[in-house]
Amino acid sequence: MRTVEWIYLIFNLLMFVGIIGVGRKNHYFRKMAWGGFAISGVLLIIHGVVEGLRWPMIPAYLLTLVPLVVLFTKASTVAGKFGRVRIIAVSLLVLVYAVVSIGLPLLFPVFSFAKPAGPYGIGTVSYDWTDNSREELLTSTTGDQRELMVQIWYPTNPEAEGATAPYVNKPEIYGTAFNEVLKLPKLLFSSLSQVKTHAIQEAQLSDAEANYPVVLFSHGLHGYENQNTFQVEQLVSQGYIVVGINHTYSSLVSVFPDGRVVQFESEGKEGFEQLQFSYMDKLNDSWVKDAQFVLDEVEKLAAGDPSGRFTGHIDLDNIGMFGHSFGGATTVQMLMDDPRVKAGMNMDGVLFGEKRIPAEGVGKPFLMMSADSTVAGTSVMSDEEIAAMGTTRPEAEKYYEEVYARYEPVTTGGNYWMELTNTKHLSFSDLYLISPLLEWTQGVDARGTQQLVNDTTIDFFNHYLKGQPLHMDKEVGEHESYSLKKG
C-alpha cells in the first residue's frame, strides 16, 4: 500500500473504533465526531490528488462518513439496555470491517518496483519503427510493412526531473488484454494506471560516461516490452542502455502513437498445437528479424539521433541481449546469427528457432536461467493439466524429449546454466508483483527471485560488456535458492 493510503486507513479505523466505542453520552462525543470527519475528509482529498482513488479502498472511503451517520441517527434504546451485547456486536463489526478495509488494498495493491541500486537515474523514450523491407503477414491490409513499438531506457543524472513514465500506455487496454489473452481476472489489473516507474520521460542522457553498452530485451510470447521493468531499471541504473522490443501480433498487445491497437494473434493455434516446433521455429525467425532490424535502427541512432540524445553515446562494440521465454529463444538465435551481439541471457525459454546450438556450444558468453518447475517437464504436470493442453501424457513426454535434446549443449564451452528453486515460468517477469494472490497460488517469492535474477544479470553483463570481474564463477554448485552449472 502507498503511504497516504496507510495513514488514511489507519486513522479511519481508529476513528471508527473511537466514535462507536465511546458512546454519545461522552462529553467530547460531538467534537470527536466532527473532528474525525474533518481530518478524514482532508486525508481523503490528499490521497485522491497525490495517489489517486481506487476501488479496493472503497470500504475505507466509507469510513469517512461514519461520524456523520452516528451524529445524525438516533441512539438505540436496545443498545442501552444490553451494554454487553452492544460491545460484542460493535467489536465484531469493527473487526470484520477492519479486515476487509485492510485486506482489499493488500490483495489488490498498486505494486512498486525496487529502488534502482546503481548510481544513475533512468530516462526513457519510445519509438514507432517500420521495417520497409518486410511485409506484415498478419495484418488484414495488403501491403502493410512490419511495424514495431520500441522503448529505450537509458542512464540519466540521478537528479533529473520531468514527467514520470507510466508502466504501460493505455492501462485499460492492457487490463483487457491480460483478461482475454492470459485468462486472468481483469480486476487484478484495475490499478495499472497508478503504478509508478523510476523512469523520467525524455530526460537528458547522462554525460558521466562517453558511451554506454546497449542490451536488447525480447519479451515472451504474448508478453510486452515493459514486462521486465524490475530488471530493466536495475540494469539502466548500472550504466546500460536497454532497448525493449514489442513483437507486434505476438505480444500481449501493441499500442501505437496514433491510437491503433493490435491484439495478440494466435493464427488459430491453441494449447499443445501452438507449442509444436514446426510452428514455433518458423515464428521465431520473424522475431530474430525484428531484433536485427531494431539493432539496425539503434546503430542509426548512434550515428545520428535526430534529437541528439544518443548520437555518439552508444557503445556498439559491446552489445548484449536477454529475453524471457520465446524472447530467450530469440536471444540464443541472435547469438548464433548476428555477430554484433556479444553476450546473451535466456530466461526460461525453450530453445525454439531454426538453428540448433552446435555440439561445441554457442561460441559466445551465454547464460541460461530456468525455473525448476519448467525443467521438471511432465513430472510435475497432472493428467488434467496435460489434457487441458489438448494432448496426452505420451505425446507430452515425447515433446519434452526434444526440449531436453535442444538443451544438451547449453553449457558447452564454459557457459552457464542457473536453475532457480521454487519458481515458475512467469517468475522471470513483473507479473507476480500484481497481487500476492498470484504469489500464494503459485507458491513463489516474487521479489526474492527478482533480486537473484537482477544480481546475476548485472554480474553477467558487467563482466562480458564492461570487463569487470565475474562473481558467478565462485557460485558454481548447489545453493538453497538455486543451482549453477558451468560447462
Side-chain angles (χ1 to χ4, degrees), residues 209-279:
E209 298 182 44
N211 52 39
Y212 300 91
V214 61
V215 185
L216 299 185
F217 172 69
S218 180
H219 59 71
L221 195 63
H222 40 62
Y224 50 105
E225 69 271 36
N226 317 77
Q227 69 161 61
N228 280 53
T229 296
F230 83 90
Q231 189 177 20
V232 167
E233 291 194 337
Q234 297 298 334
L235 266 172
V236 175
S237 78
Q238 298 290 343
Y240 291 89
I241 294 173
V242 179
V243 181
I245 308 167
N246 183 299
H247 298 276
T248 315
Y249 289 102
S250 296
S251 62
L252 181 72
V253 66
S254 301
V255 181
F256 291 98
D258 61 5
R260 284 174 298 128
V261 176
V262 176
Q263 308 287 352
F264 174 75
E265 174 55 62
S266 69
E267 300 184 69
K269 299 182 184 298
E270 301 291 341
F272 194 64
E273 183 186 11
Q274 189 182 60
L275 295 175
Q276 295 306 301
F277 289 99
S278 57
Y279 171 70

Side-chain angles (χ1 to χ4, degrees), residues 83-132:
R84 183 174 297 178
V85 174
R86 176 176 178 270
I87 291 172
I88 294 173
V90 169
S91 298
L92 288 174
L93 174 63
V94 170
L95 178 62
V96 171
Y97 208 91
V99 169
V100 173
S101 298
I102 295 174
L104 280 178
L106 289 176
L107 293 176
F108 301 94
V110 177
F111 71 89
S112 60
F113 297 103
K115 183 180 178 180
Y120 293 98
I122 301 166
T124 189
V125 62
S126 294
Y127 296 92
D128 178 1
W129 285 337
T130 299
D131 184 353
N132 293 314

